[in-house]
Amino acid sequence: MTADSSARNVFRKNGVAGLGNNGHGRNLITTANPSGGSSASLLQKQLSFKTPVGSKQMGKSDEIEMIDSSNIENFNTRYNKNSIIGWICCAPCIWLRTSAAVHKMAITSATLLVTTLLVASPILFLISTAPSPLPRDCYMDGDRCSPAVSTPPECTDPICEAVASSIQARLNWNKDPCTEFKKFSCWRNTRNKNITNLIEMGNSQKSVDSQMLYLFQNKIMNDSFNVLHNLYESCLQQTTNSTIMHRIFDSLGGYLPVGSVGPSTIAPLIAKIYDLGPSPLVDLYYDLSYGRRPHILLIISGPSTSSTILERKIRWMSPKAPPSRIRQGLPKLLADLIENFLPYFVSYAQRVSEKDTIFEFIKDLNKLQVEHSRRGFWDSTVLYNVSSLQDLYPVLNWTLLIPQNWSGPIVVRNSDYLKALEYFLTKYPTRVAHNSLLLLSALEILPRDHPSPEVCTRSTMWALPELSSSLYIAQHSSEDLKDTTKRAEIIFKSLKAHLKRAPSLKGAALVKLSALKIQSQTWEGFSNTTDLLKTLQTLDITAECWFQNILEIYKKNKMEANDISLNGGSHDAWAYPIVSTIFYDTLSHSIVVPLSVILIPYFNTVLPPYLHYASVGVSIAKEILRSITKSFDEKAMRCVPHSVNIFSNYSRMDILIHSGGMQISYHSMLSLTGPIKGMARLPGLNLTPTQIFFLVSAQELCAESNYLGIDTNAPEFDNILGWLVAQGGSATEVFKCPSGSMINIQKTCNVL
């Protein structure tokens, strides 16, 4: 059986979770030794590696921060047995060859010999006793003291074979990584498509989608999860011409034809939409203030329902969804929705004109929201009454949106958006705005694309995230979950330890970094399916009408904060395990890590650490960097190539953060493990650990971009990927790129 077929059998039999059960904890990474070798071997490497190669990979020995003294095994057992003995064996020799005192004694002795005994060639004697470079390694090999380390062991575990096959399947050895890095690292053609799809390890969200799709389609859920199956079935039957949808349109005023007089303002329409379901212009929800005695805040922000999760209005009462990325362009269902929205008596010419006008309105509004969503929440405004809010932002009638009994603080996040929105709405007739907003309100409720098993799986998880998360967690053993979360915390500590030594990290950023936490544990409520089902008893989820089901769910989630009491753990942040995006939570000042991100095969305990750092390490490092600074606006404009525009869901700032995450994770791996020659090799891959780090990081970005619908075949994507890999100054050396190659000439943009 070949390695590829063996890998496929492993994945078919056990899936991602099954591959995580090998080793039974004996190979756990620890903060003292994330490299996977014994602590004695690591100490030996730190003391002995002073060659030019080693000096490029790590700092001085006194700058290396050891976090604790745990132990792991990932090297050949010969290093564990004899490393201490080998060091004792070689230490006297090394001391004699490198000690300055010995050298001075030798010079004195030589002078005496020349004077008294006239020994020939004193200069040769002086040269022979000069300090020489330390031997690269000194290991005990049986009864002999070997001056060099042997070839690192090869990992023969099935997960190593599977990972090696996955990496190999996407490499094109006919391309030069220095000039065509994307074509070398992210190759996809008809021959490798099947194996790449089978073990595409670089996209944890796709893995979750596939697993949940299998559960929904095969009806293996018990009665407890029957509501999920009904919701999934209703999505498959949803059309853009449903009766309930037209009934909602009529209740909101219906279509306003050409020639009719539009309303004086669209504020009442927005209030009616918000009362029924998600608002396409603004989002109102409740969160907590900072401090030991938090109080409830009413927060106004831009629309957030484009997220993969239908957010609760009470944000601290359950896990949070990561910040949403608003998609640029036009929604995929818009064209069909307009055709069914316009009455039959509208002529063909009017249909074309109305469609173009609505397209223009929605496209411009989307562009406005994307632009302002990238600016973050640093310009928040705090108000204490609705009248002040109305005076500052008259674009909407806030008395219709804010609960009448609300007397607490009102926080306006990204106030520039509300001001820009007011100017935007004056550019269009209110008739056009009315019709467009009706369609946008429906698009917030409909699935994101034409119904299909894949689309409806994601939509079902979006609509009932708690119950979907409970079903997902039930597929994994508690031992696997504890082991994985523990290793995520260790990686986080090693990244923090490296950043603390950054010379440019000072003042407030260093204080924020020291206080930063990680939340990789899962919410206890996910394991209590009985309580979750009790909260859904009032819902009537049928298998016939998705649109009606979502309106029911939205109505249930729209609770008022006045009826809810605070509790001592309100500042804790939890993630939905089914949404594979690590994010930074400002309220708890923690990096929130969803379970699905760290259950990927690349984070398996048996694998060498360079795979852990290339995957999960990069993702965590990105959010650490985002948490300790407000922005890199000037640096982003100066460094990031214009080809970043190919990323429809990424801004220049996001790409710069991604670059910084790769730099931090890469150098953390080197500084905490010392020279990494001893890390286990992947079978069949004639690549160094540092080369594999950059290749896996690139392949993950390619997989994520493909999932999001980004054109990875565009020349702009080649350019931005080559730029990302070039940052930090190490890829040029790792791939031995000559002067003038693409990676070599890319402008280095060190975020630190």
Side-chain angles (χ1 to χ4, degrees), residues 104-162:
K104 291 179 180 179
M105 293 172 60
I107 293 176
T108 304
S109 301
T111 304
L112 293 173
L113 286 172
V114 170
T115 304
T116 59
L117 301 177
L118 299 177
V119 177
S121 303
I123 297 190
L124 179 62
F125 182 78
L126 293 177
I127 294 175
S128 67
T129 57
S132 60
L134 283 167
R136 289 180 299 172
D137 287 294
C138 187
Y139 288 105
M140 193 70 182
D141 187 8
D143 295 330
R144 295 180 295 106
C145 184
S146 176
V149 66
S150 61
T151 303
E154 183 176 277
C155 177
T156 58
D157 195 276
I159 181 62
C160 295
E161 297 176 1

Side-chain angles (χ1 to χ4, degrees), residues 325 374-375 378 622 625-626 629-637 640 644 650-660 723 751:
R325 298 188 183 277
R374 292 173 176 173
R375 297 183 182 180
W378 309 109
K622 285 164 52 181
L625 188 60
R626 203 187 306 273
T629 183
K630 290 186 177 181
S631 64
F632 297 103
D633 288 336
E634 181 182 352
K635 185 169 287 188
M637 294 302 296
V640 180
V644 74
Y650 288 83
S651 66
R652 301 175 70 87
M653 187 67 65
D654 292 319
I655 291 297
L656 184 66
I657 293 291
H658 193 105
S659 165
W723 178 86
V751 295

Side-chain angles (χ1 to χ4, degrees), residues 639-682:
C639 295
V640 180
H642 292 289
S643 52
V644 74
N645 295 331
I646 193 66
F647 287 84
S648 59
N649 289 322
Y650 288 83
S651 66
R652 301 175 70 87
M653 187 67 65
D654 292 319
I655 291 297
L656 184 66
I657 293 291
H658 193 105
S659 165
M662 289 180 62
Q663 294 175 38
I664 294 169
S665 185
Y666 177 73
H667 291 290
S668 296
M669 175 186 69
L670 296 182
S671 65
L672 286 175
T673 61
I676 54 179
K677 296 179 182 179
M679 289 188 184
R681 295 177 293 113
L682 293 180

Side-chain angles (χ1 to χ4, degrees), residues 159-174:
I159 181 62
C160 295
E161 297 176 1
V163 168
S165 298
S166 176
I167 297 173
Q168 183 76 267
R170 283 169 280 182
L171 294 181
N172 187 347
W173 294 99
N174 295 321

Side-chain angles (χ1 to χ4, degrees), residues 418-483:
L418 293 181
K419 296 175 181 177
L421 182 63
E422 182 177 6
Y423 173 75
F424 167 79
L425 291 175
T426 60
K427 295 167 50 179
Y428 290 90
T430 54
R431 184 193 72 85
V432 174
H434 173 92
N435 291 336
S436 301
L437 290 173
L438 286 183
L439 295 174
L440 282 173
S441 66
L443 289 169
E444 295 289 349
I445 298 173
L446 290 170
R448 291 292 175 260
D449 204 343
H450 296 282
S452 69
E454 293 77 14
V455 169
C456 289
T457 296
R458 291 193 293 269
S459 298
T460 301
M461 294 190 294
W462 160 74
L464 289 176
E466 284 87 1
L467 196 59
S468 298
S469 298
S470 179
L471 177 62
Y472 175 76
I473 289 178
Q475 313 307 311
H476 303 275
S477 70
S478 58
E479 292 183 359
D480 283 343
L481 304 187
K482 291 179 181 179
D483 169 65

Side-chain angles (χ1 to χ4, degrees), residues 195-328:
I195 186 173
T196 303
N197 289 341
L198 176 65
I199 52 178
E200 187 160 356
M201 302 179 183
N203 195 331
S204 53
Q205 188 62 62
K206 185 174 182 180
S207 175
V208 174
D209 294 350
S210 300
Q211 187 171 355
M212 298 300 286
L213 173 60
Y214 174 81
L215 295 174
F216 291 156
Q217 283 186 330
N218 290 275
K219 301 181 182 179
I220 64 173
M221 301 172 287
N222 57 32
D223 293 339
S224 300
F225 299 101
N226 191 49
V227 63
L228 288 173
H229 178 72
N230 288 343
L231 188 61
Y232 171 78
E233 290 293 329
S234 70
C235 174
L236 292 175
Q237 301 179 42
Q238 180 63 51
T239 68
T240 56
N241 193 27
S242 67
T243 303
I244 181 64
M245 191 186 309
H246 285 284
R247 192 183 307 144
I248 295 296
F249 287 156
D250 291 340
S251 68
L252 296 174
Y255 168 70
L256 298 181
V258 178
S260 62
V261 179
S264 58
T265 174
I266 54 92
L269 174 63
I270 295 300
K272 291 180 180 179
I273 292 175
Y274 180 73
D275 189 53
L276 288 173
S279 168
L281 293 185
V282 293
D283 186 31
L284 279 72
Y285 59 91
Y286 302 96
D287 214 329
L288 297 180
S289 63
Y290 298 94
R292 295 181 179 178
R293 296 183 178 180
H295 53 275
I296 303 173
L297 305 174
L298 190 152
I299 297 178
I300 301 172
S301 70
S304 64
T305 48
S306 59
S307 168
T308 52
I309 291 293
L310 183 57
E311 283 277 21
R312 287 180 176 271
K313 294 304 175 186
I314 314 297
R315 295 291 166 89
W316 74 87
M317 296 300 294
S318 64
K320 298 183 178 182
S324 62
R325 298 188 183 277
I326 302 176
R327 292 180 177 272
Q328 292 179 339

